[in-house]
């Protein structure tokens, strides 16, 4: 009986093995194309899950979101927008850029942006258009490039911003000339051909295409455009302003030879030569430089004016009158009582600003001083900007005798700076000495260190740094 039972169990075991059945299955999950399957014996249960299809796009065929199997071909791009200078053609269906942006006109015509901010370049230009062969070389610098914010005399328009850069050119000698041109890095012809004079503002307007959209209210204007004379040198200064679409980096200032011929129908690529300087008003990371370039340092090399210290006595010689043949007198000059403060009983506080006051005292007692009237010339100017910003000085003073002016400092315009000057002569009969006292009061941005005051020979000075010479005495309010 036992032998028969063992024999029966063996038969059952053989039958189970022949039928492929497992005592314990290891099931694998069903997929898109296969049902649930035993990893040991291959037995299946149920049906495949089937594909979950995502629709075809412009660049990708119909695709299963589960297994990534594809079916068919991509649809291909739909209608394309036109390419512009910032981006290639754009598919109106998927929004993808297709191809490359248009080639900028400067690149097409081989024009190179060759000037950077705060670097001085030789500027070779003709003295006159009548004789282009007569050349002079200036030293040109672009500086204080920034995006302008909230300047009262610049009209702001939604979608636009103002970009500005200051240009200084120094000529060592009698002859000087300059010839700026304003261009578009991307579209030279479109910029020039769209130009027209806006009668209401007096500005010249241009049209710029930016990211496929036309901006017809781009404009250029300048401020503080002037020539100055520092002893034996001549300087030119100008603040250039461009209104362009927000983020637009295509405005260009070029400085050409004054003698170059520019006829109707010609463009910058017809006129520019190897000496032309190009500065591009491209991406700004902040609004203005922290500190402007101190161009007075360059002038110092030429005129050798003397910077003096407070509470020290200096010898000073001046003509008694404004004529060259007038007699000279020699006396002493001292700077006294220099103070910086936020406010006091007679000086009101202003947020972000501080007051600076200083006195200059002079004494003259030689024979010429006693025999002739003395006409002294005091001056005020700026270490960074020269005397250019004094052209922002208000025409009339307020009821307290203060004039207002504008200073740019740390990327901000301070349009309500103040200035007042008072002076008096005092005759001392016992010592036969003429004493002169002059007091300056300034309201400036807190921390601003560019202003200076001083005294110049009467025949040299006429209210500004353009007449500073080696004989001048200067005190910097820093």
């Amino acid at each position: 009986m036992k032998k028969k039972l063992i024999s029966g169990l063996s038969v059952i075991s053989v039958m189970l093995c022949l039928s492929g059945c497992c005592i314990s299955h290891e099931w694998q999950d069903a997929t898109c194309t296969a049902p649930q399957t035993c990893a040991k014996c291959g037995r299946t249960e149920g049906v495949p899950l089937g594909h979950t299809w995502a629709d075809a796009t412009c660049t990708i065929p119909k695709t299963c979101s589960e297994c990534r199997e594809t079916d068919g071909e991509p649809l291909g791009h739909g209608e394309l927008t036109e390419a512009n200078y910032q981006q290639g053609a754009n598919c109106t269906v998927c929004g993808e850029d297709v191809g490359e942006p248009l080639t900028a006109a400067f690149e097409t015509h081989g024009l190179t942006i060759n000037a950077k901010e705060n670097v001085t370049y030789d500027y070779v230009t003709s003295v006159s258009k009548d004789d282009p062969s007569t050349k002079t070389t200036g030293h040109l610098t672009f500086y204080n490039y920034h995006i302008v914010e909230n300047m009262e005399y610049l009209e702001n328009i939604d979608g636009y911003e103002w970009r500005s850069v200051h240009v200084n050119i120094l000529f060592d000698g009698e002859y000087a000339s300059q010839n700026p041109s304003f261009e578009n890095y991307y579209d030279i012809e479109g910029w020039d051909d769209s130009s027209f004079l806006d009668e209401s503002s007096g500005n010249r307007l241009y049209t710029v295409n930016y990211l496929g959209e036309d901006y017809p209210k781009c404009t250029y204007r300048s401020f503080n455009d002037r020539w100055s004379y520092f002893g034996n040198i001549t300087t030119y200064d100008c603040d250039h302003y461009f209104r362009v679409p927000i983020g637009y980096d295509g405005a260009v200032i070029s400085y050409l030879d004054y003698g170059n011929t520019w006829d109707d129908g010609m463009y910058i690529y017809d006129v520019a030569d190897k000496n032309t300087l190009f500065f591009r008003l491209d991406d700004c990371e902040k609004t203005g430089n922290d500190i402007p370039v101190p161009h007075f340092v360059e002038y110092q090399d030429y005129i050798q004016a003397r910077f003096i210290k407070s509470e020290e006595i200096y010898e000073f010689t001046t003509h008694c009158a404004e004529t060259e043949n007038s007699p000279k007198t020699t006396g002493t000059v001292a700077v006294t009582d220099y103070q910086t403060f936020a406010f006091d009983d007679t000086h009101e506080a202003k947020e972000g600003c501080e007051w600076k006051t200083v006195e200059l005292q002079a004494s003259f007692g030689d024979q010429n001083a006693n025999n002739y009237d003395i006409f002294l010339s005091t001056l005020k100017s700026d270490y960074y900007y020269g005397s250019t910003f004094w052209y922002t000085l208000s025409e009339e003073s307020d009821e307290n005798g203060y004039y207002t002016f504008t200073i740019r400092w740390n990327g901000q315009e301070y349009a309500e700076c103040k200035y007042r000057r008072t002076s008096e002569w005092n005759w001392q009969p016992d010592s036969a000495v003429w004493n002169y006292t002059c007091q300056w009061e300034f309201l400036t941005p807190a921390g601003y260190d560019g202003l200076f005051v001083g005294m110049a020979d009467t025949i040299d000075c006429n209210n500004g740094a353009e007449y500073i010479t080696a004989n001048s005495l200067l005190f910097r309010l820093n």
Side-chain angles (χ1 to χ4, degrees):
M1 183 68 181
K2 185 176 182 181
K3 183 176 180 180
K4 289 182 179 180
L5 179 59
I6 293 173
S7 176
L9 291 172
S10 298
V11 171
I12 293 172
S13 177
V14 171
M15 290 177 64
L16 288 173
C17 289
L18 290 174
S19 68
C21 191
C22 299
I23 296 176
S24 177
H25 290 293
E26 291 185 8
W27 294 108
Q28 294 179 333
D29 292 340
T31 66
C32 298
T33 57
Q36 187 183 40
T37 304
C38 176
K40 290 181 178 180
C41 67
R43 183 175 176 176
T44 63
E45 284 191 3
V47 296
L49 299 177
H51 291 295
T52 302
W53 294 109
D55 292 339
T57 68
C58 297
T59 57
I60 301 173
K62 184 170 71 170
T63 303
C64 176
S65 61
E66 298 295 332
C67 69
R68 311 311 300 169
E69 182 176 332
T70 61
D71 182 24
E73 300 295 330
L75 300 177
H77 288 296
E79 182 180 356
L80 299 178
T81 62
E82 292 185 8
N84 56 59
Y85 291 106
Q86 288 74 40
Q87 57 190 192
N90 187 268
C91 176
T92 58
V93 176
C94 68
E96 182 179 337
D97 289 340
V98 180
E100 298 297 324
L102 300 178
T103 302
F106 262 60
E107 299 171 18
T108 299
H109 294 283
L111 301 177
T112 302
I113 302 300
N114 55 6
K116 298 180 180 180
E117 185 182 11
N118 297 339
V119 179
T120 300
Y121 299 90
D122 285 345
Y123 173 48
V124 180
T125 182
S126 300
V127 174
S128 73
K129 289 186 178 294
D130 296 334
D131 184 10
S133 64
T134 306
K135 305 289 185 181
T136 184
T137 299
H139 307 289
L140 187 150
T141 310
F142 296 93
Y143 70 97
N144 200 28
Y145 170 45
H146 61 282
I147 296 175
V148 181
E149 294 183 350
N150 301 323
M151 189 175 291
E152 61 180 289
Y153 45 81
L154 294 176
E155 180 186 6
N156 293 316
I157 300 176
D158 288 344
Y160 293 80
E161 65 188 4
W162 286 95
R163 296 191 176 208
S164 175
V165 65
H166 186 93
V167 171
N168 171 271
I169 314 175
L170 182 151
F171 295 92
D172 180 15
E174 178 181 358
Y175 300 107
S177 63
Q178 56 92 30
N179 186 22
S181 175
F182 313 106
E183 306 296 335
N184 186 329
Y185 183 81
Y186 297 107
D187 184 10
I188 293 171
E189 294 89 348
W191 173 272
D192 286 358
D193 295 345
S194 68
S195 168
F196 72 96
L197 184 65
D198 178 24
E199 299 291 347
S200 63
S201 66
N203 298 328
R204 185 157 292 277
L205 298 184
Y206 304 85
T207 295
V208 159
N209 185 280
Y210 182 49
L211 296 173
E213 181 180 349
D214 282 344
Y215 289 80
K217 295 185 178 180
C218 298
T219 191
Y220 163 79
R221 67 179 300 176
S222 65
F223 291 100
N224 301 325
D225 184 358
R226 63 171 301 202
W227 293 93
S228 301
Y229 305 95
F230 291 74
N232 65 331
I233 66 173
T234 301
T235 67
Y236 171 77
D237 284 274
C238 184
D239 289 310
H240 298 285
Y241 290 85
F242 291 84
R243 184 171 62 204
V244 295
I246 294 174
Y248 188 72
D249 63 355
V252 176
I253 301 175
S254 63
Y255 272 84
L256 299 146
D257 187 326
Y258 183 64
N260 288 5
T261 300
W262 194 323
D263 294 328
D264 289 342
M266 298 176 69
Y267 297 98
I268 184 64
Y269 50 75
D270 299 313
V271 184
D273 59 24
K274 64 179 181 179
N275 293 318
T276 304
L277 295 173
F278 294 101
F279 179 84
R280 182 178 174 186
L281 285 71
D282 53 11
D283 294 338
C284 279
E285 295 183 356
K286 58 180 180 177
T287 53
N289 291 334
D290 291 338
I291 301 176
V293 176
H295 283 281
F296 194 83
V297 173
E298 297 179 25
Y299 307 154
Q300 264 304 94
D301 294 339
Y302 293 87
I303 61 180
Q304 297 298 311
R306 293 177 291 169
F307 277 95
I308 61 178
K309 298 179 180 180
S310 179
E311 309 300 336
E312 295 187 12
I313 299 175
Y314 297 85
E315 185 177 277
F316 178 70
T317 300
T318 181
H319 287 75
C320 292
E322 294 177 292
T323 58
E324 186 72 38
N325 59 358
S326 68
K328 293 183 179 181
T329 180
T330 298
T332 59
V333 172
V335 172
T336 62
D337 200 25
Y338 172 47
Q339 300 181 59
T340 300
F341 53 90
F343 65 94
D344 63 14
D345 293 341
T346 60
H347 298 86
E348 64 180 0
K350 183 172 179 60
E351 184 177 358
C353 295
E354 64 187 7
W355 286 94
K356 295 176 182 289
T357 61
V358 63
E359 283 189 359
L360 186 149
Q361 297 184 0
S363 296
F364 297 89
D366 62 13
Q367 183 175 356
N368 283 340
N370 288 300
N371 291 342
Y372 301 93
D373 290 334
I374 304 175
F375 183 83
L376 280 183
S377 292
T378 57
L379 58 88
K380 61 188 183 300
S381 193
D382 188 85
Y383 187 73
Y384 301 112
Y385 300 108
S387 57
T388 58
F389 72 86
W390 291 117
Y391 277 65
T392 67
L393 198 68
S394 59
E395 294 184 1
E396 297 182 358
S397 64
D398 63 16
E399 64 275 12
N400 296 315
Y402 288 102
Y403 294 85
T404 61
F405 63 95
T406 299
I407 282 180
R408 181 172 184 81
W409 181 241
N410 285 337
Q412 183 176 345
E413 297 283 349
Y414 291 82
E416 297 183 4
C417 298
K418 292 186 177 183
Y419 154 74
R420 183 172 69 177
R421 171 185 171 276
T422 56
S423 64
E424 66 175 355
W425 281 97
N426 187 354
W427 167 246
Q428 300 292 327
D430 294 341
S431 55
V433 171
W434 284 100
N435 292 322
Y436 174 79
T437 301
C438 181
Q439 183 184 57
W440 288 273
E441 301 165 77
F442 297 96
L443 178 66
T444 68
Y448 187 72
D449 62 354
L451 291 173
F452 62 82
V453 297
M455 188 168 288
D457 191 324
T458 299
I459 66 170
D460 292 331
C461 189
N462 185 14
N463 190 35
E466 62 266 36
Y467 296 103
I468 295 172
T469 66
N471 189 48
S472 303
L473 296 179
L474 309 175
F475 177 74
R476 184 176 173 187
L477 283 67
N478 60 358

